[in-house]
Amino acid sequence: MEHLIDIVLLGLLMITGFAIVRMKSLLAVAMLTSIYSLLSASLFVVLDAVDVALTEAAIGAGISTILMLATVALTRDEEKAPRHTPLLPLAVVTVTGAALIYGTLDMPHYGDPAAPVHQHAASAYLHDTPGEIGVPNVVTSVLASYRGYDTLGEVTVIFTAGAGVLALLGYRTRRRNIQGPGIRKLVVLRVIAKLFFPLILLFALYVLFHGDYGPGGGFQAGVIFATGFILYALAFGLGNAQRVIHHPLLRIMAAVGVLIYAAVGIEGILLGGKFLEYGVLADDPVTGQHLGIMLIELGVGITVAAVMLIIYYGFVSRQD
Amino acid sequence: MLLSNLPALQVVIPLVSAPVCLLLRNPRHAWACALIISWLVLAMALLLLQQVYTLGTISYAIGAWATPWGIEYRIDMAGALMILIIATVGAVTMPYAWRNIQHELHRKHTGVYYTCYLLCLTGLLGIVVTGDAFNLFVFLEISSLSSYVLISLGPSRRALTAAYQYLVMGTIGATFILIGIGLLYMMTGTLNMQDISQRLPEVADTRTIRVAFAFVTVGVSIKLALFPLHIWLPNAYTYAPSVVSAFMAATATKVGVYVLLRFFFTLFGLQFSFNAMHVGEILMLLAVAAILIASLVAIFQDNVKRMLAYSSVAQIGYIILGISLATTAGVSAGMLHLFNHAMIKGALFMAMGCIFLRLGSVEIHNMHGLARQMPWTMAAFVAGGLSLIGVPLTAGFISKWYLVNAALTDGYWPLAVLILVSSLLALIYIWRVVEAAYFHLPGADMHKVREAPASMLIPTWLLIGVNLYVGLDAGLITNIAQQGAASLLGQALQ
Amino acid sequence: MTELLGHYNYWIVIILMMTGFYIVIARPNLVKKVIGLFIFQTSVFILFISMAKIEGGTAPIIEEGLSVYSNPLPHVLILTAIVVSLATTALGLALVVRIQEAYGTSNEDDIHVQDEED
Amino acid sequence: MMQPLLDVLSWICLLGGAIFLLIGAIGVLRFPDFYTRLHAVSVCDTLGAGLVLVGLIFQGGLSLVTVKLLLIFYFMIFTGPTAVHALAQAALQSKLKPLVDDHEPR
Amino acid sequence: MFIAVSAVLLVAIALGLVRAFRGPTLYDRVMAANMIGTLTVLMVAVLGFMAERPEFLDIALVYVLISFVSTIAVLRVYASRVSMQGSDRK
C-alpha cells in the first residue's frame, strides 16, 4: 500500500522540480524549493528513514529557505532569460541521465530483501547494536559510535561553513531596533513568540537527549534550537536577539562544540584505547558507549546551533 | 601510546587547532598557533613515513571497531609520500603567510584566514589517510569548502566570482563522486576500500559498476582539473591570495590525483579499470591534449600567475600520462613528478607573491628590469622555471627522465617525443618572463622597488633548495615513489 | 509489472537529479544555480534512501515485536550528506551576496561583461 | 464494549477532518482573490487538523502517544491562526488591495 | 481507514501545489507553502499510526514548528525588502 503514497509523492516532487526550472520569479522558486524539501522529507518518512526526515525538514524547509529568501531580498527578484539557447546543457543532461538509467538496469529491485546492501554490514549493525551499544535507535548508534569519525568530519564541515560565512559576511551588530513600519502591529506575533520560545528550546533539548531512543540527535536538536532563536529574532527584532546571544559567544560556542567532540576522541586515546573508542571511557563498555554518545551529541548540538545562528545573523544583518 | 595512534593524530591535531585558532582574537596569536601546528604536522609526517618505511602498510581501526563495520585508516607508501608533500608545503608556506596575508587580505579577514587554512590542511590530510570511501567524500568536502573560502579572500573582486565558479564545479564533482560511491555501495554492500575491492569481481561486469566507475572518474577529474574539466583552475589560482595559490597549486590537485590512483588501483583494481574499461587510453589522450593545449595557452598569458596556472594544468597532464601507462615504472614516474611539481609550483607561486608584494602587479609588462631590484626573487623564479622545463641537475629533469624511460619501455616512443617537445613550449613561456625581468630597461619608478622581506624569501628558497637537492641526489624520493607505486599496483596484482 | 515497479523509484529520482543538474548548467542567475545544486543533492539523497528500503521493513529503531528493519547505513550517510549540502548552499549564497554587492548584479552574463571592461 | 465505540468515533472524526481539509484545498483553488483564499485556508485547515488529531487521539488511547498528539494539537491551534494573521498583515502592508466587487476579477 | 485519510491528504497537498505554481503574488505561494506544511504534519501523524510506529509524532511536532517559523521568516525578510525598495521608488 505504501507504494501508492511513494509513487504519488515522487510524482509531486517531479512536478515541483519542473515548475522550479520554468519559474522566472526567484521568490517563487525559493518557496517552491521549501515545498520541494518538505515533500522529500515526507517521502523519507514513507521510506522509513525517520532521522533523515527530521533533518531534511529542519534544514531543507527551515534554514535553507530563509537563507535563499534573504539572498533574493538583496538581489533583483526577476531572473533574466539566458542569452544563448540551452542546447549544450540539454545535451549534457540527457547524456548523464541516459548513463544513469543504463546503470539502473542491473540494480536490485526497489525494496527486495536479497539486495547485497542488506546482507553484509547492515545486518551486523542491527544484530550487534543492542548487545554492544544498547541503544534502540540503530541509526544513532551507527552515526555516533560505529562510524563516529564520519560525524566528526561532519561537525568539521558545519564548522567550516560557519567560519566561511563569518569570513565572507562577517557581522554587523544592530544597536537600534530599526524595524519595518509595521512595528506596532507585531503584538500578536510577539505574544505567540514569547509563549513558544521556551517551548521550542525545551523541545530541542528533548530531541537532543532522546536521540538514542527515537528520531533525533545532535544535528536536529541544533537546528531546532537555532529555529527558536530565529523566531525570537523575527518577533523582537535582530537587535534584541543579538543582545540575547551576541556574536562573540556564537564564535566560542561553535569552537567549543568541535573541541568537545575531539576531546571525547582524545580521551579515548589517553585512557589507552584507540581514537573515538567509547568503551574505555567508563569501567563497563556499554555505559562507556552511552556516555560517549551523549557527550558527542551535546558537542554536535552546540556547534550546529551556533553555526546556524552565525549564518542567520550574517545574512539578515546585511539587509539594511 | 602516541606512536601507535599516530595515523589518527595526524588528522586530529590540525582539526582541533582550527577551532582554537578561531578562539584566538589576535591575528598574530592565530598565526603563531597555525605555524606551530604546521611544523608539528610536518614532524608527524616524517615519523609516519619512517614507520611506513619500516613496518609496511599501517592499518588503524578508529573506535576499535572491526574493519567493515568501523572506519579504518590505511596508510601505505603512496599515502605516506602524499602526507609528506602536504605537510612540507604547509610548513613552508606558513612563515611566508604572515607578510603576504597582511598585504593582500582585508584587515578583518586575517583572523579567520588561519582557521580556514588549518581546515583545508585537515581535509587534505584526511583524504590521503583514510581507507573508507565515504570518509574520503566527507574530508574531500572539508578541504573543498575551506579552499572556496580561501580563494574568495583574494584582493580583487574577481576572486569572488572565481571562488563561486570553483564552488559550483567542485560541488558537481563531489556529488558525482557521491553517486559513484552510492552505486558501489549498492552493489557491494560495504564502504571500506579493501572490502569493496574484494567483493567487486563478482559484480564487476554489471552495468551499474561501469556507470559508478564513469561517475567517480568524472567527479575526481573535476577535482584534479584534468584537461576538459579544468575551467575553474586558471581563475581560482590567479585571483586567490598568493600564499593560497602556492598552497593549493602544490597540494589540492595532487590530492585529486592520489584519489584517482586510490580508486583505480585499490578500489576497482587494475584489471577492471585498465583492461575492462580501457581508461588508460582515454587518460592518455586527455593528458596529451592537456600538455599541448595548456602549454600553448600559457604562452600567450600576460598575467604570470595565470600563466603558471595553465602550466599547472599541463604538468598535471604529465602526471596523468605517467599513470595512464599502468605499469610500475609509469606510475612511479607519475608520483615522482607529482612530488617535484608540488615543490616547483609552490616555489614559483611564492616568488610571484614576493613580486606582487613589492610591485603591486604580476603583469609581464610591469616587470621590466625587475631583476636588478629583486635579484633573489628573480633568481628563485629562474631556478623554478628551469626545473619546470626539465633542465638537467634539477628535479624536473629527474621526473621527465623517468617519464620518458617509462614511455619508451612500453614502446610509446611518440609520447617520449611529445614530452621533449612540450618542454620547449615550457621554455618559451618561462623565457618571456625572464626576458622581461633581465633584458628590458627598467620602467620609470622601478628604482623604488626593494627586495622582498626575508620572511618571504627564505621559504621560497627552501623549496628551491629541495628542488635542487632532488635534482642532485634523487635516490630517496625515487625510492619512496617506486615503493608507493609498487604498493598501489601490488594491491591490484594480488 | 514488478520489473517496472522495481525500478520506477530510481528512474523518477534520476529525472529529479537531471532537473537539478540542468538548472545548474543552463540558468545564468547565480541564486538559481545554487538552488539547482540544492535540488541535485536532495535527489541524490532520495536515491540513497530508496536503496535502503526493505519490503515490509520498518524504521531502524529496535522494538520487541519487530524483526525486519530497513538498512540504517544509508540513513547515516545521508545525515552527513544533508549537512554537507547545507554548508555548500550557505557558502554559495554568501558568495552571491558578496558578488551582488561588488558587481551590482547576480547574473553571470552581466558579470562577464563587467569583467571584460576592466 | 468501549473499543468499537472509540473506533467509530475516531473514524467519524478522521473522515470529517479529511473532508474539511479537502474543502479548504478546493477553496484555495477556486476563490478569486488572495484574502478569500486566505479565509478558506485558515478556517478549514485549523478545524480539519483539529478533527484529524482528535480522531488519532481516540485511536491512541491513554498513552504517551496521546500526550504527543495533544502537544501537536496545542501547537497547531496557536501557530495556525498566527501565521495567517502575519500573512494577512504583510499582504495589507504591501498595499495588496482586496477585491471589493466581483466585476473585475484579479 | 488510514489509507483513505492519507489519500485525501495527498489530494489536498496536490491542490495546494497547484495554487503554489499559479499563485500570482508571493503571498499566495507563502499561503500554499503554509498549507502544505500543515497537511504534511497530519500525513506524517497518520502514517505513524498506519505503520504502528509512534516515533513519527516527534517528526510531526518538529514540522509544525518549522513550517510556522519559516512562514514568519519569509514574511519578515520580504517585508524589510518591500520597505527597502519602497524607499528606493520614492
Side-chain angles (χ1 to χ4, degrees):
Chain A
M1 176 46 227
E2 280 171 1
H3 270 301
L4 185 66
I5 299 177
D6 177 38
I7 290 164
V8 167
L9 275 175
L10 278 171
L12 292 179
L13 275 171
M14 212 165 64
I15 296 164
T16 319
F18 288 147
I20 287 175
V21 173
R22 288 176 43 77
M23 282 277 178
K24 281 281 178 279
S25 147
L26 288 175
L27 286 171
V29 167
M31 288 317 299
L32 283 180
T33 314
S34 161
I35 293 172
Y36 181 89
S37 60
L38 206 60
L39 285 176
S40 60
S42 51
L43 180 66
F44 289 151
V45 169
V46 172
L47 294 176
D48 295 334
V50 182
D51 283 83
V52 180
L54 194 60
T55 315
E56 170 68 21
I59 286 184
I63 299 288
S64 295
T65 314
I66 299 170
L67 296 187
M68 283 175 198
L69 275 151
T71 316
V72 170
L74 294 171
T75 62
R76 242 171 52 77
D77 172 24
E78 210 43 48
E79 179 202 4
K80 278 165 71 179
R83 253 194 293 195
H84 27 70
T85 59
L87 277 180
L88 179 65
L90 214 58
V92 168
V93 162
T94 34
V95 164
T96 325
L100 271 168
I101 300 263
Y102 170 78
T104 59
L105 300 182
D106 284 348
M107 275 186 194
H109 284 308
Y110 160 74
D112 78 335
V117 162
H118 307 304
Q119 305 313 319
H120 188 58
S123 54
Y125 288 138
L126 289 167
H127 176 67
D128 296 347
T129 303
E132 285 177 346
I133 301 175
V135 167
N137 187 354
V138 179
V139 173
T140 307
S141 80
V142 173
L143 183 81
S145 178
Y146 285 113
R147 293 183 67 88
Y149 195 63
D150 266 354
T151 315
L152 178 60
E154 211 176 299
V155 171
T156 321
V157 164
I158 272 285
F159 180 74
T160 315
V165 170
L166 205 62
L168 284 168
L169 299 182
Y171 61 92
R172 296 196 190 116
T173 47
R174 313 229 72 67
R175 281 291 165 271
R176 298 165 283 96
N177 243 338
I178 40 164
Q179 284 307 317
I183 194 67
R184 286 175 327 310
K185 292 181 232 157
L186 278 180
V187 172
V188 171
L189 188 58
R190 290 192 167 185
V191 165
I192 297 294
K194 208 186 287 281
L195 180 68
F196 273 94
F197 183 56
L199 271 178
I200 294 178
L201 299 191
L202 193 63
F203 183 66
L205 290 178
Y206 164 76
V207 167
L208 179 68
F209 293 112
H210 183 70
D212 298 352
Y213 303 97
F219 289 102
Q220 299 85 348
V223 174
I224 297 169
F225 193 83
T227 311
F229 272 94
I230 288 173
L231 177 66
Y232 185 85
L234 292 172
F236 297 96
L238 199 59
N240 296 349
Q242 284 187 332
R243 260 195 295 281
V244 169
I245 283 202
H246 48 75
H247 221 279
L249 174 63
L250 284 181
R251 281 168 74 125
I252 294 162
M253 268 172 68
V256 158
V258 181
L259 292 177
I260 287 176
Y261 199 118
V264 168
I266 292 171
E267 180 68 15
I269 290 184
L270 297 180
L271 291 176
K274 298 255 190 207
F275 183 68
L276 281 182
E277 184 178 353
Y278 306 141
V280 295
L281 290 181
D283 37 27
D284 158 36
V286 178
T287 11
Q289 295 288 347
H290 282 288
L291 182 64
I293 290 177
M294 187 85 61
L295 281 174
I296 62 156
E297 293 283 0
L298 184 68
V300 167
I302 293 171
T303 300
V304 169
V307 166
M308 292 298 149
L309 282 174
I310 285 176
I311 293 174
Y312 179 76
Y313 283 171
F315 273 87
V316 174
S317 69
R318 281 193 100 80
Q319 291 227 318
D320 15 276
Chain B
M1 185 265 295
L2 173 69
L3 275 180
S4 68
N5 293 309
L6 200 57
L9 289 179
Q10 177 79 44
V11 179
V12 167
I13 298 283
L15 191 141
V16 166
S17 62
V20 166
C21 260
L22 192 70
L23 292 177
L24 301 173
R25 306 288 303 166
N26 177 342
R28 181 166 282 281
H29 297 155
W31 173 68
C33 156
L35 186 70
I36 296 160
I37 293 296
S38 299
W39 285 94
L40 190 62
V41 161
L42 180 58
M44 282 199 284
L46 293 171
L47 254 171
L48 208 56
L49 186 68
Q50 193 262 339
Q51 260 190 10
V52 172
Y53 206 79
T54 50
L55 305 172
T57 308
I58 299 177
S59 166
Y60 180 89
I62 290 181
W65 299 110
T67 305
W69 291 281
I71 291 170
E72 179 217 18
Y73 267 4
R74 174 173 287 275
I75 306 168
D76 58 1
M77 193 45 88
L81 175 65
M82 283 308 298
I83 296 173
L84 183 67
I85 295 174
I86 299 168
T88 317
V89 173
V92 166
T93 46
M94 211 55 235
Y96 177 89
W98 175 251
R99 274 305 300 269
N100 187 267
I101 294 305
Q102 292 293 350
H103 173 60
E104 287 187 25
L105 257 69
H106 191 272
R107 192 182 40 75
K108 63 181 165 52
H109 290 155
T110 46
V112 176
Y113 167 79
Y114 298 106
T115 307
C116 295
Y117 161 74
L118 284 171
L119 287 169
C120 192
L121 189 67
T122 311
L124 293 173
L125 290 170
I127 295 172
V128 169
V129 169
T130 185
D132 184 277
F134 190 75
N135 199 272
L136 184 136
F137 166 74
V138 172
F139 278 91
L140 185 74
E141 274 302 317
I142 293 175
S143 66
S144 310
L145 284 169
S146 41
S147 51
Y148 305 148
V149 177
L150 286 174
I151 290 172
S152 70
L153 298 176
S156 81
R157 70 176 183 175
R158 294 170 76 152
L160 295 170
T161 40
Y164 183 85
Q165 190 186 19
Y166 184 22
L167 180 135
V168 168
M169 287 193 77
T171 308
I172 289 179
T175 312
F176 271 25
I177 294 173
L178 183 63
I179 293 172
I181 293 174
L183 295 179
L184 266 175
Y185 172 69
M186 185 185 280
M187 297 311 285
T188 57
T190 70
L191 282 171
N192 187 296
M193 290 191 189
Q194 290 303 324
D195 226 14
I196 290 180
S197 62
Q198 272 139 28
R199 291 175 167 280
L200 204 62
E202 309 124 20
V203 290
D205 52 5
T206 57
R207 287 165 279 203
T208 314
I209 293 295
R210 280 194 217 108
V211 166
F213 181 83
F215 268 83
V216 161
T217 312
V218 169
V220 175
S221 304
I222 294 178
K223 280 290 161 190
L224 62 92
L226 191 57
F227 171 66
L229 305 168
H230 69 291
I231 304 152
W232 57 269
L233 190 132
N235 286 339
Y237 288 0
T238 312
Y239 299 114
S242 309
V243 67
V244 170
S245 307
F247 181 72
M248 293 272 292
T251 52
T253 42
K254 308 302 174 290
V255 168
V257 171
Y258 171 82
V259 169
L260 201 70
L261 283 171
R262 185 59 69 189
F263 270 111
F264 279 175
F265 294 114
T266 312
L267 219 98
F268 286 101
L270 188 76
Q271 311 315 345
F272 178 78
S273 36
F274 282 85
N275 302 351
M277 291 293 281
H278 303 294
V279 84
E281 289 74 9
I282 301 166
L283 283 184
M284 197 177 289
L285 193 69
L286 292 177
V288 166
I291 293 169
L292 290 180
I293 295 172
S295 300
L296 278 175
V297 170
I299 290 172
F300 299 104
Q301 297 303 327
D302 192 35
N303 181 324
V304 179
K305 279 176 89 174
R306 183 175 283 274
M307 175 199 292
L308 291 177
Y310 277 110
S311 119
S312 284
V313 175
Q315 301 295 323
I316 289 162
Y318 282 110
I319 299 168
I320 296 294
L321 193 66
I323 290 165
S324 65
L325 300 171
T327 62
T328 315
V331 171
S332 69
M335 292 188 67
L336 188 61
H337 193 60
L338 196 112
F339 178 81
N340 294 340
H341 181 247
M343 299 301 145
I344 302 165
K345 232 3 113 43
L348 286 175
F349 270 111
M350 281 206 266
M352 293 321 299
C354 302
I355 294 172
F356 187 74
L357 176 72
R358 289 299 187 222
L359 204 59
S361 133
V362 280
E363 308 282 336
I364 292 184
H365 60 267
N366 298 342
M367 290 166 65
H368 289 307
L370 185 62
R372 256 182 298 286
Q373 306 300 338
M374 301 174 74
W376 286 102
T377 315
M378 280 320 294
F381 186 86
V382 166
L386 291 177
S387 192
L388 201 62
I389 298 161
V391 169
L393 282 181
T394 65
F397 173 74
I398 303 290
S399 44
K400 288 228 166 92
W401 169 263
Y402 277 99
L403 268 174
V404 165
N405 192 345
L408 286 180
T409 46
D410 256 12
Y412 290 101
W413 61 268
L415 284 188
V417 169
L418 171 93
I419 292 171
L420 299 181
V421 162
S422 60
S423 302
L424 295 183
L425 293 179
L427 178 65
I428 296 170
Y429 59 75
I430 294 293
W431 170 255
R432 279 190 63 219
V433 178
V434 169
E435 182 211 14
Y438 281 87
F439 302 107
H440 275 252
L441 290 174
D445 51 12
M446 186 55 80
H447 57 277
K448 289 204 292 294
V449 172
R450 284 175 291 103
E451 179 52 277
S455 77
M456 293 173 85
L457 263 182
I458 292 167
T460 315
W461 273 98
L462 211 60
L463 279 186
I464 294 290
V466 168
N467 245 322
L468 295 180
Y469 172 74
V470 168
L472 297 172
D473 160 26
L476 183 65
I477 292 298
T478 36
N479 188 350
I480 293 175
Q482 259 140 17
Q483 279 199 8
S487 71
L488 273 173
L489 290 176
Q491 276 158 349
L493 296 181
Q494 265 146 18
Chain C
M1 179 52 194
T2 60
E3 172 58 33
L4 173 71
L5 203 60
H7 290 285
Y8 172 85
N9 222 316
Y10 298 132
W11 290 339
I12 296 279
V13 165
I14 287 166
I15 293 169
L16 289 174
M17 266 192 235
M18 287 311 112
T19 319
F21 195 35
Y22 176 75
I23 296 174
V24 172
I25 299 177
R27 289 292 182 253
N29 185 294
L30 299 183
V31 177
K32 200 77 182 279
K33 273 186 196 288
V34 173
I35 290 175
L37 269 180
F38 181 78
I39 289 182
F40 183 37
Q41 287 174 333
T42 307
S43 42
V44 169
F45 306 155
I46 300 175
L47 169 73
F48 267 69
I49 295 294
S50 55
M51 177 178 22
K53 173 87 168 76
I54 289 187
E55 202 59 50
T58 60
I61 297 165
I62 292 175
E63 275 185 29
E64 292 70 27
L66 305 167
S67 67
V68 177
Y69 298 100
S70 54
N71 185 354
L73 193 54
H75 301 181
V76 174
L77 304 183
I78 289 312
L79 278 172
T80 309
I82 287 180
V83 169
V84 164
S85 93
L86 173 73
T88 317
T89 311
L91 274 184
L93 292 174
L95 278 171
V96 169
V97 164
R98 284 287 303 277
I99 288 171
Q100 170 73 23
E101 283 171 2
Y103 283 89
T105 165
S106 65
N107 189 313
E108 209 170 30
D109 305 330
D110 303 346
I111 291 171
H112 287 319
V113 166
Q114 289 190 22
D115 278 347
E116 268 101 32
E117 276 148 20
D118 54 355
Chain D
M1 193 279 292
M2 278 298 289
Q3 195 45 35
L5 182 67
L6 278 182
D7 278 353
V8 167
L9 261 179
S10 79
W11 283 344
I12 292 164
C13 289
L14 280 172
L15 274 184
I19 288 164
F20 274 111
L21 289 169
L22 199 61
I23 292 165
I26 294 167
V28 157
L29 270 187
R30 300 245 340 172
F31 279 141
D33 168 70
F34 165 72
Y35 292 99
T36 40
R37 291 185 207 122
L38 198 58
H39 170 68
V41 174
S42 57
V43 170
C44 295
D45 271 10
T46 316
L47 177 60
L51 275 178
V52 166
L53 287 173
V54 164
L56 291 177
I57 286 171
F58 282 133
Q59 287 286 348
L62 290 176
S63 68
L64 181 64
V65 168
T66 311
V67 169
K68 283 188 186 166
L69 280 169
L70 282 175
L71 209 55
I72 295 177
F73 183 78
Y74 170 77
F75 273 4
M76 269 204 165
I77 288 295
F78 279 101
T79 54
T82 322
V84 169
H85 159 78
L87 199 57
Q89 183 201 321
L92 264 179
Q93 196 178 309
S94 74
K95 300 175 194 54
L96 179 70
K97 281 182 295 305
L99 175 70
V100 179
D101 46 12
D102 58 4
H103 58 67
E104 22 106 5
R106 173 58 57 121
Chain E
M1 186 56 216
F2 293 121
I3 298 154
V5 174
S6 55
V8 167
L9 287 173
L10 275 175
V11 167
I13 288 176
L15 295 177
L17 262 178
V18 169
R19 173 49 61 197
F21 298 152
R22 274 227 313 258
T25 65
L26 165 77
Y27 300 105
D28 289 304
R29 294 198 172 93
V30 172
M31 172 186 64
N34 187 18
M35 183 178 120
I36 290 175
T38 327
L39 292 171
T40 315
V41 166
L42 295 175
M43 203 172 82
V44 165
V46 165
L47 282 175
F49 271 81
M50 197 173 8
E52 287 96 25
R53 294 305 297 257
E55 282 83 9
F56 285 16
L57 293 175
D58 292 355
I59 305 175
L61 204 54
V62 170
Y63 282 10
V64 173
L65 299 177
I66 296 293
S67 84
F68 171 60
V69 171
S70 66
T71 310
I72 303 290
V74 164
L75 296 174
R76 298 291 296 146
V77 162
Y78 191 64
S80 63
R81 169 192 158 98
V82 167
S83 63
M84 201 164 63
Q85 267 177 348
S87 52
D88 301 349
R89 266 193 221 103
K90 270 206 285 304

